[in-house]
Amino acid sequence: MLQYTLVAVAALAATANAASLADVCTVSNVQAAVPANGTLLGINLIPSTVVASSVYNATAGMGSSGTYSYCNVTISYTHTGKNDTVVLKYAFPSPSSFQNRFYVAGGGGYSLASDATGGLEYGAVGGATDAGYNAFETSYEDAVLYGNGSINWDATHMFAYQALGEMTIVGKAITNAFYGLSSDTKTYTYFEGCSDGGREGMSQVQRWGEEYDGVIAGAPAFRFAQQQVLHVFSSLVEYTQDYYPPPCELAKIVNSTITACDSLDGRTDGVVSRTDLCKLNFNLSSIIGESYYCAAEDGSSSGPGPSKHQAPGGTSSSQPAQNGTVTARGVAVAQAIYDGLHNCRSWELSIPSTGGDLQTGLPDITPFQSSGGKLLHFHGESDPSIPAASSVHYWQSVRSIMYGNLSQDDSISALQDWYQFYLIPGAAHCGTNSLQPGPYPQNNMEIMIDWVENGVQPTRLNATVSSGTYEGETQMLCQWPTRPLWHGNSSTFDCVDDQKSIDSWTYTFPAFKLPGYAMLPIHYTIQGTADAVDHRRH
Ligand SMILES: *[C@@H]1O[C@H](CO)[C@@H](O)[C@H](O)[C@H]1NC(C)=O
Ligand SMILES: *[C@@H]1O[C@H](CO)[C@@H](O)[C@H](O)[C@H]1NC(C)=O
Ligand SMILES: *[C@@H]1O[C@H](CO)[C@@H](O)[C@H](O)[C@H]1NC(C)=O
Ligand SMILES: *[C@@H]1O[C@H](CO)[C@@H](O)[C@H](O)[C@H]1NC(C)=O
Ligand SMILES: *[C@@H]1O[C@H](CO)[C@@H](O)[C@H](O)[C@H]1NC(C)=O
Ligand SMILES: *[C@@H]1O[C@H](CO)[C@@H](O)[C@H](O)[C@H]1NC(C)=O
Ligand SMILES: *[C@@H]1O[C@H](CO)[C@@H](O)[C@H](O)[C@H]1NC(C)=O
Ligand SMILES: *[C@@H]1O[C@H](CO)[C@@H](O)[C@H](O)[C@H]1NC(C)=O
Ligand SMILES: *[C@@H]1O[C@H](CO)[C@@H](O)[C@H](O)[C@H]1NC(C)=O
Ligand SMILES: *[C@@H]1O[C@H](CO)[C@@H](O)[C@H](O)[C@H]1NC(C)=O
Ligand SMILES: *[C@@H]1O[C@H](CO)[C@@H](O)[C@H](O)[C@H]1NC(C)=O
């Protein structure tokens, strides 16, 4: 019997390798691969909804080059006991290109990803879900309110974590059968996303940890309840201080901050690689009286916020010429924004709306860790939308909850075996910063695949400078909690331990009793003021 099984499996494997895309990309092959009702708890797949068609030589995925041939599949399911319909899309690479991988791309803003082809360049099956609220075409913000005073909790849970987890479970189950592999063949499963995509990655680590082998999460938009408050914080500062600085004055303050703090990290390269040293050593009052000038501007731009929330006609950035000197009041506004929101007197844990389900701050991720998962977490140090300190805080929460009985050094080293966090010097929100020509990671998936499949554990993160004097320079970034310190103006730096730096990033949030649910943007940083002003003007 065993012999027979082995022979059969070998025959199937041989078939899979020899099979062409056209051979496997049929409705009947997909239907035969669909798990029976009762196999996946709560998920009833509907085989009659399967559509499958071969797509040849198509461009695929964001930022990937080359062309790919794949099987374009859609299938729907319903939740047991509910009369809902969730539509899934998958892109199965040609059998000859398949490398036993499954890839999930994160979305952004209030949207889940709608494209399933992002994994093709890695020989991975990819998937996307409509989350039961037509998420391919609408965003969660259009689904969250029924319009009768009630919140759509089904859509909320689906957007928060459930839809992606179910899409992955179903996709992995179909994958092996689709290629004729035995059901216990390992499918390396990856997630990659930034912003809400980063939050989605963290949601999968926290809720479906056993399903993923490698998760890359950039600038996660976790702690939604506070996150959205942050987007109006700078306007609130201007309102409470009753001073609305001319945009040029704030731009000047930002530029002067960068100029003053650039060299504190040891190298004068236009990049503040150590916002902690800036915070500890630079006195903003020193620039009062400096003159500024901005030429008249006629144009339009869209800030980082969702544009539909801006006032009608509000995207114009037309400005008259501005000429003046930095005022004490302008500095006071900027200082309050740099200082960030504080845990003031009377806060309580009261998150009445959807924020609670989207907090994504669970610090005990043991199921992910113990099933061998690897987490690569990064955050632009000058992110003007989602504070880098909120990522630092999450890392600290995981460390203290999972390794609270170890010494600091031992806990850091235990954590780094499977969860690594990197601040990206000077970087903005999920990308480079037009004001600081710094490095940005380019090949995270390669690094992750090597870590997961070949056991090559990174110690630093490969990043490339994409503009300015040092364009093309490779920087192997320091893993938190070490911080970079350049050797003068040369092209080398050390990763140093600096307790004062770590302390400057560390905060408590006593209104929230649970570690990991807190946030406070102490390092709500350097690009911040300029963009924050945009929000007021919009
Ligand atoms: C599973 O349940 C769904 C919903 O009840 C049904 O449409 C579908 O046909 C069932 N699948 C099978 C294989 O019977
Ligand atoms: C896809 O591209 C390959 C190589 O360029 C070519 O041989 C093949 O005919 C193309 N297939 C289709 C369906 O266009
Ligand atoms: C994939 O299939 C769906 C229908 O199931 C179709 O709407 C879509 O256009 C197809 N995509 C491509 C690239 O052919
Ligand atoms: C389920 O939903 C469909 C439409 O989506 C509707 O036609 C049908 O009546 C519903 N069934 C029940 C039992 O509510
Ligand atoms: C609001 O609409 C939803 C969806 O139609 C419905 O399920 C819910 O019961 C309604 N709530 C109230 C308070 O009417
Ligand atoms: C700030 O610096 C940028 C270049 O990095 C420059 O384009 C801009 O004019 C400066 N703004 C002010 C007000 O100095
Ligand atoms: C910053 O400089 C101002 C003006 O010289 C001074 O009043 C203030 O105390 C300084 N702040 C700090 C934190 O040193
Ligand atoms: C700014 O204003 C001052 C005096 O008000 C003037 O001397 C200077 O030329 C102006 N600078 C520019 C660039 O317009
Ligand atoms: C810390 O606690 C963990 C889990 O409870 C345990 O496995 C580990 O041995 C403990 N380490 C020390 C140094 O006590
Ligand atoms: C760093 O990334 C660049 C860009 O993807 C790549 O060319 C280079 O080989 C990578 N270096 C290392 C050491 O991974
Ligand atoms: C680095 O170069 C800048 C000019 O670009 C200079 O002002 C600074 O003194 C240099 N720093 C060191 C440590 O040599």
Side-chain angles (χ1 to χ4, degrees):
M1 179 63 195
L2 177 66
Q3 250 173 346
Y4 169 78
T5 309
L6 288 176
V7 169
V9 167
L12 272 175
T15 315
N17 288 337
S20 70
L21 181 59
D23 292 336
V24 291
C25 192
T26 62
V27 169
S28 59
N29 187 44
V30 176
Q31 284 175 333
V34 167
N37 291 343
T39 314
L40 304 175
L41 209 60
I43 295 173
N44 285 352
L45 286 148
I46 309 170
S48 60
T49 60
V50 169
V51 179
S53 58
S54 301
V55 179
Y56 290 98
N57 296 339
T59 55
M62 282 206 297
S64 72
S65 54
T67 58
Y68 304 91
S69 299
Y70 62 96
C71 184
N72 172 26
V73 170
T74 59
I75 180 171
S76 300
Y77 68 95
T78 183
H79 289 104
T80 313
K82 287 197 175 180
N83 191 26
D84 60 349
T85 305
V86 183
V87 182
L88 302 173
K89 292 187 201 179
Y90 296 102
F92 293 89
S94 295
S96 58
S97 306
F98 176 60
Q99 295 188 57
N100 293 79
R101 295 177 184 144
F102 191 85
Y103 176 91
V104 186
Y110 287 95
S111 299
L112 300 171
S114 57
D115 179 15
T117 62
L120 294 175
E121 64 176 305
Y122 310 109
V125 177
T129 171
D130 95 330
Y133 59 84
N134 194 19
F136 295 146
E137 266 129 43
T138 62
S139 68
Y140 164 68
E141 64 193 314
D142 295 323
V144 56
L145 298 176
Y146 281 125
N148 61 5
S150 299
I151 286 174
N152 183 343
W153 287 109
D154 287 335
T156 299
H157 294 138
M158 288 295 272
F159 175 68
Y161 56 89
Q162 190 182 344
L164 287 169
E166 292 178 345
M167 183 279 289
T168 297
I169 287 175
V170 170
K172 288 169 70 172
I174 295 177
T175 293
N176 281 339
F178 177 88
Y179 290 108
L181 302 168
S182 77
S183 61
D184 58 2
T185 305
K186 172 75 178 171
T187 304
Y188 296 106
T189 304
Y190 299 94
F191 187 103
E192 180 175 33
C194 200
S195 194
D196 195 71
R199 184 199 64 75
E200 292 159 24
M202 289 297 190
S203 81
Q204 300 307 285
V205 167
Q206 293 169 19
R207 305 273 191 163
W208 307 91
E210 299 95 332
E211 295 298 327
Y212 294 87
D213 297 288
V215 171
I216 300 166
F222 37 27
R223 308 192 188 91
F224 247 59
Q226 291 91 352
Q227 174 57 41
Q228 303 309 343
V229 174
L230 271 181
H231 284 150
V232 296
F233 173 61
S234 41
S235 305
L236 180 74
V237 169
E238 294 179 343
Y239 176 77
T240 53
Q241 298 199 8
D242 194 24
Y243 180 67
Y244 302 87
C248 189
E249 183 180 14
L250 277 184
K252 173 66 184 180
I253 291 172
V254 169
N255 281 4
S256 296
T257 303
I258 294 170
T259 304
C261 296
D262 178 1
S263 61
L264 296 177
D265 55 37
R267 179 161 86 162
T268 307
D269 57 0
V271 181
V272 182
S273 299
R274 294 290 299 275
T275 57
D276 50 287
L277 297 178
C278 189
K279 179 179 155 67
L280 295 170
N281 296 305
F282 172 54
N283 187 338
L284 207 49
S285 298
S286 62
I287 65 170
I288 294 170
E290 285 185 12
S291 62
Y292 62 77
Y293 171 74
C294 295
E297 242 182 58
D298 188 17
S300 62
S301 73
S302 54
S307 57
K308 68 174 69 165
H309 290 300
Q310 290 158 359
T315 52
S316 164
S317 67
S318 296
Q319 298 177 6
Q322 299 159 70
N323 181 4
T325 55
V326 174
T327 62
R329 299 193 74 184
V331 161
V333 163
Q335 186 67 57
I337 295 171
Y338 284 168
D339 288 347
L341 274 168
H342 286 280
N343 186 30
C344 49
R345 301 172 300 275
S346 57
W347 286 26
E348 284 171 16
L349 182 58
S350 171
I351 303 171
S353 182
T354 55
D357 279 80
L358 290 157
Q359 288 292 76
T360 323
L362 296 174
D364 184 351
I365 47 179
T366 301
F368 176 76
Q369 180 264 334
S370 56
S371 64
K374 310 287 184 243
L375 175 57
L376 184 58
H377 173 189
F378 66 91
H379 206 132
E381 191 162 334
S382 288
D383 188 327
S385 175
I386 298 173
S390 72
S391 276
V392 171
H393 193 83
Y394 181 71
W395 180 92
Q396 285 169 333
S397 300
V398 173
R399 186 173 70 86
S400 66
I401 290 295
M402 291 182 64
Y403 299 109
N405 60 348
L406 298 186
S407 71
Q408 171 148 320
D409 282 357
D410 287 351
S411 66
I412 288 170
S413 121
L415 197 54
Q416 288 178 348
D417 282 347
W418 60 276
Y419 173 11
Q420 303 196 352
F421 173 59
Y422 294 87
L423 284 168
I424 315 299
H429 186 57
C430 295
T432 53
N433 182 346
S434 58
L435 296 179
Q436 299 183 51
Y440 204 77
Q442 307 292 342
N443 66 338
N444 287 339
M445 264 302 282
E446 267 173 57
I447 292 166
M448 181 55 88
I449 287 173
D450 221 21
W451 193 4
V452 165
E453 297 179 21
N454 305 321
V456 180
Q457 179 178 323
T459 54
R460 294 195 177 190
L461 184 62
N462 180 32
T464 309
V465 178
S466 62
S467 65
T469 313
Y470 295 97
E471 184 174 342
E473 183 181 77
T474 295
Q475 295 183 13
M476 298 303 290
L477 304 182
C478 298
Q479 189 178 161
W480 180 265
T482 65
R483 306 289 289 131
L485 196 57
W486 289 88
H487 299 154
N489 285 331
S490 75
S491 58
T492 56
F493 57 89
D494 289 326
C495 295
V496 300
D497 287 309
D498 182 341
Q499 192 58 45
K500 258 194 182 164
S501 165
I502 297 171
D503 292 347
S504 82
W505 287 90
T506 305
Y507 53 88
T508 56
F509 205 35
F512 289 75
K513 300 305 173 210
L514 290 169
Y517 282 88
M519 74 160 291
L520 187 70
I522 287 173
H523 287 253
Y524 188 71
T525 42
I526 290 168
Q527 206 191 11
T529 47
D531 284 338
V533 165
D534 284 346
H535 285 282
R536 177 176 61 78
R537 286 190 287 117
H538 289 164

